[in-house]
Amino acid sequence: MKKIFAILAFAVMTLTVSAQGLKTFNGKLFSCQYPANFEAQEQWMDEAFNAKIEDSVEFLSVSVTDMDMTVQQLKDWADGMKMMTERSFGEPTGWKAGNVVVKGKQVTFRAEGEEEIDDEKVPAVKYVYCMVTPQKKCFTGELKFKKSDEAKYKPLVDKILASCKAK
C-alpha cells in the first residue's frame, strides 16, 4: 500500500512540474529545475549549470559552492552584484537594478536592460539570486528573459530556487 501511495505522489509531482513548464537538471553536485522551453548547455564543470533559448534573450545560470553566509553577507553580496550589473570596468552597462529582496537566507533583485539579438535591441529583465541552504550550500545565478514575458517567468524564480538540492 505504501508503494502505491509513493507511486501516486511521484506521478502527481511529475504532472505538477510538467504543468508549470519545468524540467529537471540532475548533475553530479546538485539538481535543479529550469524552464522546459530552455535547452541545457554543455556542462563544463560540476558546480555550474546553464540553459538558454538559442538566439534569444532567455538564459538561466545556477552555481553551487560550499559556503555559509549570514543575512548581512547575503545583502552585501547582492549589493556587489547590483553594482556589477549596472557597471562594468567603471562604465554603465545599460542595466538598472532594483531593490534587494530578502527572504530568510535568500536574496534576489530584479534588473532591467536591453540585450542585442541579431542587431536588434530587445528589452530584457533578469532576476539575480543567492540562497544558502541549511546544509551550508550556496546557490547563485540569474534568470534572464524578454521583458514582455515577465508574467510567465517571474513566478519561476522562487520555484527554481526551491528546487535546488545539493548532493
Side-chain angles (χ1 to χ4, degrees):
M1 191 66 149
K2 286 183 182 179
K3 283 185 179 180
I4 292 173
F5 283 120
I7 291 169
L8 287 174
F10 180 74
V12 168
M13 204 168 70
T14 302
L15 289 173
T16 302
V17 169
S18 297
Q20 295 167 342
L22 296 171
K23 298 190 266 194
T24 300
F25 162 75
N26 192 14
K28 183 177 178 181
L29 297 180
F30 71 99
S31 64
C32 67
Q33 293 180 329
Y34 63 101
N37 57 329
F38 284 36
E39 282 288 319
Q41 301 300 289
E42 184 173 347
Q43 193 177 2
W44 294 98
M45 48 198 242
D46 295 333
E47 297 85 2
F49 170 71
N50 296 318
K52 67 180 188 174
I53 296 177
E54 201 65 44
D55 299 325
S56 189
V57 171
E58 289 82 3
F59 175 78
L60 169 80
S61 69
V62 179
S63 298
V64 66
T65 57
D66 290 319
M67 186 184 310
D68 192 14
M69 286 195 264
T70 65
V71 172
Q72 185 57 52
Q73 289 170 323
L74 283 166
K75 289 178 186 175
D76 293 344
W77 176 90
D79 288 340
M81 290 304 293
K82 282 176 60 172
M83 183 185 67
M84 289 179 11
T85 296
E86 293 179 339
R87 303 189 73 71
S88 177
F89 299 104
E91 296 296 319
T93 60
W95 284 88
K96 179 67 177 147
N99 295 329
V100 173
V101 176
V102 180
K103 292 181 188 174
K105 290 197 105 181
Q106 172 183 316
V107 293
T108 58
F109 68 85
R110 177 186 179 278
E112 279 192 41
E114 292 183 331
E115 288 288 308
E116 192 167 315
I117 304 294
D118 296 329
D119 297 328
E120 180 183 335
K121 292 201 182 256
V122 177
V125 169
K126 65 179 162 181
Y127 282 83
V128 179
Y129 48 81
C130 182
M131 173 186 73
V132 177
T133 70
Q135 296 78 29
K136 297 180 172 63
K137 301 291 184 179
C138 182
F139 287 93
T140 59
E142 71 177 45
L143 176 62
K144 182 170 47 175
F145 45 83
K146 295 175 192 164
K147 187 175 180 182
S148 60
D149 289 337
E150 188 162 14
K152 173 181 171 183
Y153 287 114
K154 181 183 177 195
L156 297 183
V157 175
D158 286 334
K159 290 176 184 175
I160 290 166
L161 281 171
S163 76
C164 292
K165 305 288 184 241
K167 295 182 177 180

